[in-house]
Amino acid sequence: MQNKITQAVILSAGFGTRLRPLTDNIPKVMVPLAGKPLLEHHIVQLKNHGVTEFFINLFYLPDAVTNYFGDGSKFGVKINYVLEKPEILGTAGGIKNFEKLLGDYFFVLYGDTFYRSTTGDWLNSMCLSAMQSASGPFEGRIIPGIP
């Protein structure tokens, strides 16, 4: 296993219906938290832990995300997008869209969930146990995000 996981999938395609009216005009991952979109907090935090390449699936109001983050260069990372059309594919479908671009080890996070870490290597420290418990069509390839 490599020392650092450098890729992360952030699932961001949802409608945000439970957050309305906040999400009438923006996707839920763009709802501001402490003055920045929630998704920006994820990207910055993961970058601080060694992640340099992101894979983000989109559906609802995708331009709000792509216009804000672009290719990721202004954040010092690379961002790849997939637009799920004509319908949302669900968690597995969101990951499957990136299958050919993903390495053997990567993180998967729900973009609408707040994760907090103030300690050094919390993401990479959980990798071994997560890999041992992974099963199914992506066995050994999915490292789930843990708050």
Side-chain angles (χ1 to χ4, degrees):
M1 181 173 84
Q2 63 190 17
N3 291 333
K4 292 275 188 183
I5 294 176
T6 61
Q7 295 179 314
V9 176
I10 303 179
L11 301 169
S12 305
F15 289 100
T17 54
R18 292 183 300 265
L19 292 177
R20 293 212 167 120
L22 291 174
T23 55
D24 283 342
N25 298 307
I26 58 171
K28 60 187 170 181
V29 297
M30 295 302 287
V31 169
L33 179 65
K36 299 180 198 172
L38 178 57
L39 186 56
E40 183 174 346
H41 289 278
H42 294 323
I43 289 171
V44 169
Q45 184 177 48
L46 288 163
K47 179 187 174 199
N48 289 339
H49 292 288
V51 176
T52 57
E53 186 172 20
F54 292 85
F55 301 86
I56 300 173
N57 67 326
L58 302 170
F59 182 82
Y60 178 65
L61 302 172
D63 292 343
V65 174
T66 58
N67 290 342
Y68 187 88
F69 292 100
D71 65 1
S73 59
K74 74 179 181 180
F75 297 93
V77 298
K78 179 180 178 184
I79 300 177
N80 305 281
Y81 302 99
V82 166
L83 182 60
E84 295 185 4
K85 291 286 183 179
E87 61 189 0
I88 292 179
L89 301 174
T91 301
I95 298 166
K96 183 88 171 142
N97 275 329
F98 297 114
E99 182 178 22
K100 292 181 180 171
L101 300 172
L102 292 167
D104 288 336
Y105 305 105
F106 54 92
F107 296 107
V108 176
L109 289 86
Y110 290 104
D112 62 351
T113 302
F114 180 73
Y115 302 89
R116 182 169 181 234
S117 170
T118 56
T119 60
D121 242 4
W122 71 275
L123 289 173
N124 288 299
S125 68
M126 61 144 184
C127 294
L128 184 57
S129 62
M131 286 185 295
Q132 290 170 343
S133 65
S135 62
F138 291 97
E139 185 169 350
R141 296 195 62 215
I142 295 178
I143 308 302
I146 297 177

